[in-house]
Amino acid sequence: MRLTIDGIPYTFIPIKEFRAAHNLPSAFGINLFEDKDYTDLGRIDSAGSHLNSLRDNIMESLPQRLPPMQWLSEVTTVTRQFQKYLYYINDHVGLRDVEVEFAVAGFSDVLQVYAYALARAEAAHSPLPEFRELYEEWLFGTTKVFKERHAYMIDDQPCTVRVVAHAYGRIGLLIHAAQTYAVYDPVLACPAEGFMTSFLAEITNHMRLASQ
């Protein structure tokens, strides 16, 4: 995984590889520096069928043909439907209202980014960027590094460790030692990230095909 932080691109090293390379204990990871309170948090491990139902309802509601420029307003309608269905299945997921609204906002942001790209490509008669490119640009834009600096010893040298997060939660560590390391540890990240990424890819692919 690659993220840009303060204008500097970092390639994140998987936590297991980083531990092995520096002889670190299995306890070394994001949990060591930023514990997570799971009280009243939503769960998706038993909500697969309900999430699939949400996906099916949204996909069936999308227009089969729509000019690129019209997707800009259609995204508002799709977002309202997503919000409606998410609240409808929420008894099985258990999200708090603020978590639902956060999920809806991210859903809307990604589709708006893609709708604008469709419109620009149509106006300029240029190729449409790949979804993955646009999606990663959006996701990178949500990246933040927590302010707190945690002291630690790596390779018998003192270092500072900061937690990195993006739209789907805490996903790694930025370690400042003799050099700076970016370490990927998604154990505390939102478990719905995979579902949302594939769902958004499916919607945007439909948008692309329906615009042709």
Side-chain angles (χ1 to χ4, degrees):
M1 183 184 73
R2 288 180 62 84
L3 288 175
T4 298
I5 300 171
D6 295 331
I8 302 172
Y10 291 97
T11 298
F12 278 67
I13 307 165
I15 184 66
K16 288 184 179 180
E17 290 183 18
F18 187 77
R19 288 190 195 119
H22 297 275
N23 298 311
L24 294 169
S26 60
F28 179 84
I30 199 167
N31 270 318
L32 186 63
F33 305 103
E34 289 283 345
D35 199 9
K36 185 172 184 177
D37 182 5
Y38 288 90
T39 306
D40 296 327
L41 284 184
R43 298 177 61 87
I44 68 166
D45 49 359
S46 60
S49 63
H50 302 285
L51 291 172
N52 288 335
S53 177
L54 179 151
R55 184 204 306 257
D56 292 344
N57 276 293
I58 293 296
M59 294 307 300
E60 289 171 6
S61 72
L62 297 175
Q64 295 304 305
R65 289 288 181 270
L66 198 67
M69 292 297 294
Q70 292 187 28
W71 279 107
L72 292 169
S73 58
E74 184 64 24
V75 163
T76 302
T77 300
V78 177
T79 299
R80 284 199 298 264
Q81 291 171 329
F82 174 72
Q83 182 180 42
K84 171 187 171 183
Y85 286 121
L86 189 54
Y87 271 118
Y88 181 74
I89 68 168
N90 199 36
D91 285 347
H92 305 281
V93 181
L95 296 175
R96 294 171 291 192
D97 284 350
V98 65
E99 292 170 323
V100 171
E101 296 307 314
F102 191 75
V104 171
F107 179 88
S108 177
D109 286 349
V110 173
L111 294 188
Q112 288 286 355
V113 165
Y114 196 82
Y116 277 113
L118 272 176
R120 286 195 300 269
E122 171 73 8
H125 303 289
S126 60
L128 178 66
E130 293 290 331
F131 166 76
R132 176 60 63 175
E133 177 185 343
L134 295 169
Y135 181 74
E136 289 184 352
E137 183 178 348
W138 167 79
L139 188 60
F140 296 168
T142 70
T143 304
K144 66 177 181 178
V145 181
F146 288 15
K147 291 183 178 179
E148 187 169 0
R149 298 174 183 268
H150 306 271
Y152 201 77
M153 295 289 290
I154 293 179
D155 299 330
D156 297 323
Q157 297 294 321
C159 66
T160 58
V161 180
R162 300 170 71 190
V163 172
V164 180
H166 60 32
Y168 293 106
R170 287 161 279 192
I171 47 82
L173 303 169
L174 197 63
I175 301 169
H176 300 283
Q179 67 183 87
T180 299
Y181 302 96
V183 180
Y184 181 59
D185 184 8
V187 66
L188 299 183
C190 174
E193 179 178 1
F195 169 80
M196 289 302 299
T197 301
S198 64
F199 184 28
L200 288 163
E202 189 174 358
I203 294 175
T204 55
N205 185 57
H206 179 97
M207 292 168 65
R208 177 182 61 82
L209 294 175
S211 299
Q212 294 176 353

